[in-house]
Amino acid sequence: MNTNDQLIKKTFIGIWIVAGTSMLFGIACVMIDAIMTGQFLGSKAVAATGLVQPVTILINMVGGLFGPGLAVVCTRYMGMAKKDKVNQVFGLVMTVLFILMVVLACLLFVFSPAIASTLGARSDDPDIIQMAADYLRGFAFAALPMGISMSLAELMMLDNDRQRAMGSMLATLLCDFLFDYLNVAVFYGGMFGMAIATALSNVAGLLVVLSHFTKKERVLRYSFPKMDMGELKEVILCGIPHAVSLGSLALKSIFFNTFLLTIASEVELSGLSAACSFFSIMNAVGLGLFNTTSSLTSLLFGEGDGNSIVRTYTYSKKIIIRLFGVLMVILLLLANFVARGFLDPSATKELLQAARFIRFMAVQYFFFALSYTLSGVYQSIMRNGYSYLLVALREGILPVVCCLALGNIFGISGFEMGFIVSGVLMLIITLLLPSAVNKRFSLKAEDMVLMPEGITPREDELFEASVGSMDQVSAVSEQAREFCLKRNMKKRDANMTALFLEENIINILTHGSDSGKPINVDVRVINRNDNLIIRFRDNGRPFDPVEWYEKNHPEDPTKGLGIRIIVGLATDVKYIPAMGLNNLVLTLF
């Protein structure tokens, strides 16, 4: 069987560019806020930003609970070619999310002074507490547009609209810079103005992503939903890793802020706040790869393509380890330069402390790398508990335990060393978890992903091949025919299967590209339980053979003969475009 990873790699890179760029644009907004705050509003404002970070993370956690979970569930249904289920889940989740964000925004606006006082209870500076309250009051206006736009952006790639997702985040980024500058240079709105700038920039991003729904050619269509608690539960279960990640970050921030104010001073708090603002980039890169891995493997899981899930994990692992290794070296060398971007150049002590935190955290994140990829796979294949565990350990439990324990013993030096220790422990747990589940030690990719039984057909039940040119078509068709004969199928059925493959692959390669870009086709023939199913996956332009057949039948029977053969003889045909891929499922018997 002639298989390769070209289509998987191309799709992975395409998704990652969108997911990673969108995440980086989002983090760039945070960095712009941090830089503007540090350079124009002073170190007290930076400290206030650190104090309110747990609340802003918790607000984002709601969007992180529903948005990514919605994307995973919809992607699975896309893999099964069930458009009705996709839109049923979409309508339900967006309605519930809207209601929740409105309620949270109202609560935050009303109780912002009390929340700020609670977060800053150990600070003896009333200015910092007041700045924190001002920011939270303004951030209440950002909650709704931020939550909705984040969730919709997750779905744009799924609905074949990469440009809209990136355009939304770019609009948010540019508007954030503009409104932040106007706040500090023209209106002098302080921390309240910074939060309002965030709200307005998210409104701009939301308007861009909403324009997707003016397109005629789209899968996602909103309608007021029926309350299906089973679907809502599944979305929440799939979104928990993101919520756990954000929630753990919030709790970690609370513990770290409280601890540093106890054993150190505002110098260390400002240094940590600046370092964490920068390391939002590393976390964005990791989460971008997490989302990419989870999205693509969710589609493959819906298709029952376990072999491609293993190949996706392997490819993702190589990318993130190499990337985080390069970033670690760069940050170890340039930590002082990076710190200057987030703090006033005259704040010498804060700059030195921020640089130290950046170096220790750079090493920590390198050891974290593998856990991002593996937890993404576990989320997609419904191994939710293992995904929760890895995320909670990485984002909260291990850093908090290690940093606080060593900090109590060795002071600020021990606190810093806790970052590296937590990273090493995370890597050990990530490597040993699959072995503990399998009850045997193995680092092989197929053992690491913990694929549920029955998802992938047995080797003797499956034929799979990859085609990238016309000269490969005849060979693949013949190999498929031989596979059918080995499965003791009738010669007539084997010949029909080979004909189906040949006709459809030729159609894809001939008509799939308008711009001359290379087209790759993956084909799988599955014969089990007395059923024969053929699945085609390609990166050509979208084309629904069922829709074409319905519109052109019974016109000239010589027109589109290949499509007529495929659709006319199959007992069931399903087509759905997702993530820049065409997915066609044919059931012959």
Side-chain angles (χ1 to χ4, degrees):
M1 291 179 284
N2 179 29
T3 59
N4 60 55
D5 298 335
Q6 289 303 310
L7 187 56
I8 293 294
K9 289 179 179 179
K10 288 181 179 180
T11 305
F12 186 94
I13 292 298
I15 298 172
W16 184 37
I17 289 173
V18 176
T21 303
S22 297
M23 292 291 294
L24 288 174
F25 281 170
I27 296 305
C29 292
V30 177
M31 291 179 62
I32 288 172
D33 288 348
I35 292 171
M36 291 285 190
T37 300
Q39 298 295 332
F40 291 93
L41 301 182
S43 58
K44 288 186 177 181
V46 174
T49 301
L51 285 179
V52 302
Q53 189 179 44
V55 177
T56 59
I57 290 174
L58 287 171
I59 294 295
N60 287 330
M61 188 175 72
V62 177
L65 180 66
F66 286 95
L70 173 62
V72 169
V73 174
C74 286
T75 304
R76 285 182 192 160
Y77 283 131
M78 287 279 199
M80 300 174 191
K82 296 181 178 180
K83 292 183 183 179
D84 291 343
K85 294 293 290 184
V86 170
N87 285 307
Q88 177 183 333
V89 176
F90 171 66
L92 172 64
V93 172
M94 295 311 300
T95 302
V96 172
L97 179 61
F98 180 88
I99 295 171
L100 281 177
M101 296 309 291
V102 169
V103 172
L104 286 174
C106 293
L107 291 174
L108 184 60
F109 184 83
V110 172
F111 294 105
S112 55
I115 296 171
S117 297
T118 302
L119 293 172
R122 291 181 177 270
S123 173
D124 56 2
D125 193 328
D127 291 339
I128 293 178
I129 296 176
Q130 184 58 51
M131 287 179 176
D134 291 342
Y135 187 86
L136 291 176
R137 186 160 45 89
F139 191 78
F141 295 97
L144 179 61
M146 181 180 292
I148 298 296
S149 62
M150 285 173 55
S151 298
L152 289 177
E154 292 267 357
L155 298 173
M156 292 301 99
M157 180 67 189
L158 179 62
D159 207 7
N160 298 301
D161 200 351
R162 301 179 182 182
Q163 292 79 10
R164 201 87 52 172
M166 296 180 66
S168 172
M169 295 309 301
L170 180 60
T172 303
L173 174 64
L174 295 177
C175 289
D176 190 56
F177 177 80
L178 173 63
F179 295 144
D180 278 354
Y181 180 77
L182 290 174
N183 175 59
V184 299
V186 178
F187 297 109
Y188 304 104
M191 293 296 285
F192 177 77
M194 294 298 290
I196 292 297
T198 298
L200 293 174
S201 62
N202 276 277
V203 169
L206 178 60
L207 292 175
V208 172
V209 79
L210 286 176
S211 66
H212 167 79
F213 295 93
T214 63
K215 292 177 55 178
K216 292 183 178 179
E217 300 297 327
R218 69 180 193 275
V219 174
L220 296 174
R221 298 183 182 277
Y222 178 84
S223 59
F224 193 78
K226 297 179 180 179
M227 294 301 293
D228 187 334
M229 299 309 296
E231 296 289 5
L232 186 61
K233 176 183 177 182
E234 184 61 27
V235 168
I236 292 174
L237 288 175
C238 291
I240 282 178
H242 284 264
V244 168
S245 175
L246 293 171
S248 297
L249 286 172
L251 292 174
K252 181 173 66 174
S253 180
I254 292 173
F255 281 118
F256 282 178
N257 290 343
T258 303
F259 185 74
L260 287 179
L261 287 173
T262 301
I263 70 163
S265 67
E266 293 173 4
V267 170
E268 286 76 15
L269 179 61
S270 295
L272 181 64
S273 179
C276 288
S277 294
F278 174 77
F279 267 88
S280 298
I281 295 177
M282 292 285 278
N283 200 39
V285 173
L287 288 176
L289 280 163
F290 171 92
N291 288 337
T292 301
T293 305
S294 177
S295 295
L296 183 52
T297 52
S298 292
L299 184 71
L300 299 171
F301 185 75
E303 296 180 9
D305 191 354
N307 294 335
S308 292
I309 290 176
V310 173
R311 292 195 290 268
T312 300
Y313 159 73
T314 302
Y315 187 58
S316 176
K317 176 184 68 175
K318 291 179 181 178
I319 288 178
I320 195 168
I321 291 175
R322 292 171 183 174
L323 182 60
F324 273 34
V326 171
L327 290 174
M328 177 183 68
V329 173
I330 292 173
L331 290 173
L332 288 175
L333 295 174
L334 301 178
N336 289 328
F337 176 78
V338 172
R340 292 191 190 101
F342 294 87
L343 291 166
D344 188 330
S346 63
T348 306
K349 292 181 179 180
E350 286 87 347
L351 284 170
L352 291 174
Q353 184 59 67
R356 288 180 60 84
F357 279 134
I358 288 171
R359 291 190 177 96
F360 281 102
M361 293 169 75
V363 179
Q364 177 197 40
Y365 269 79
F366 173 72
F367 289 118
F368 280 173
L370 182 61
S371 68
Y372 283 101
T373 290
L374 206 56
S375 58
V377 174
Y378 291 160
Q379 181 190 45
S380 68
I381 64 173
M382 303 182 75
R383 296 283 194 176
N384 293 322
Y386 301 132
S387 184
Y388 305 160
L389 176 63
L390 291 180
V391 171
L393 288 172
R394 180 183 70 232
E395 304 295 353
I397 296 173
L398 288 179
V400 168
V401 171
C402 293
C403 289
L404 268 59
L406 293 175
N408 273 316
I409 299 173
F410 301 107
I412 190 64
S413 297
F415 182 85
E416 295 167 341
M417 185 57 64
F419 289 110
I420 296 179
V421 174
S422 65
V424 173
L425 290 176
M426 187 70 236
L427 177 60
I428 293 172
I429 292 171
T430 302
L431 293 173
L432 293 182
L433 175 62
S435 297
V437 176
N438 293 326
K439 298 181 181 179
R440 57 184 174 84
F441 180 75
S442 174
L443 297 180
K444 294 181 179 179
E446 55 267 30
D447 294 323
M448 293 291 289
V449 299
L450 300 178
M451 189 71 63
E453 293 184 7
I455 297 300
T456 303
R458 298 194 316 264
E459 185 174 348
D460 64 312
E461 297 175 333
L462 173 67
F463 168 81
E464 55 183 351
S466 301
V467 181
S469 63
M470 285 292 189
D471 57 9
Q472 298 173 324
V473 176
S474 296
V476 168
S477 176
E478 180 58 27
Q479 290 169 11
R481 192 181 77 87
E482 291 175 0
F483 163 78
C484 293
L485 292 174
K486 288 180 181 179
R487 293 289 297 169
N488 297 318
M489 290 174 53
K490 295 178 182 180
K491 186 175 181 179
R492 180 182 65 84
D493 293 336
N495 291 337
M496 185 175 68
T497 300
L499 176 63
F500 267 52
L501 260 68
E502 187 168 341
E503 288 292 338
N504 199 52
I505 294 173
I506 289 173
N507 281 336
I508 293 169
L509 295 177
T510 302
H511 306 293
S513 178
D514 291 327
S515 58
K517 74 171 183 177
I519 301 298
N520 296 93
V521 185
D522 286 350
V523 60
R524 303 172 72 227
V525 181
I526 305 165
N527 179 222
R528 62 177 176 178
N529 301 327
D530 297 323
N531 293 321
L532 182 67
I533 298 174
I534 306 176
R535 304 192 71 117
F536 296 93
R537 185 168 59 227
D538 70 85
N539 61 339
R541 62 184 178 87
F543 176 73
D544 186 346
V546 179
E547 181 181 353
W548 184 95
Y549 183 79
E550 291 173 349
K551 288 181 178 180
N552 292 275
H553 181 78
E555 293 181 4
D556 183 0
T558 63
K559 182 181 179 181
L561 182 59
I563 298 174
R564 294 181 185 279
I565 292 173
I566 293 168
V567 178
L569 296 180
T571 60
D572 184 51
V573 183
K574 294 179 181 177
Y575 167 81
I576 193 166
M579 298 184 182
L581 296 174
N582 297 301
N583 298 279
L584 180 64
V585 184
L586 303 170
T587 302
L588 300 191
F589 53 81

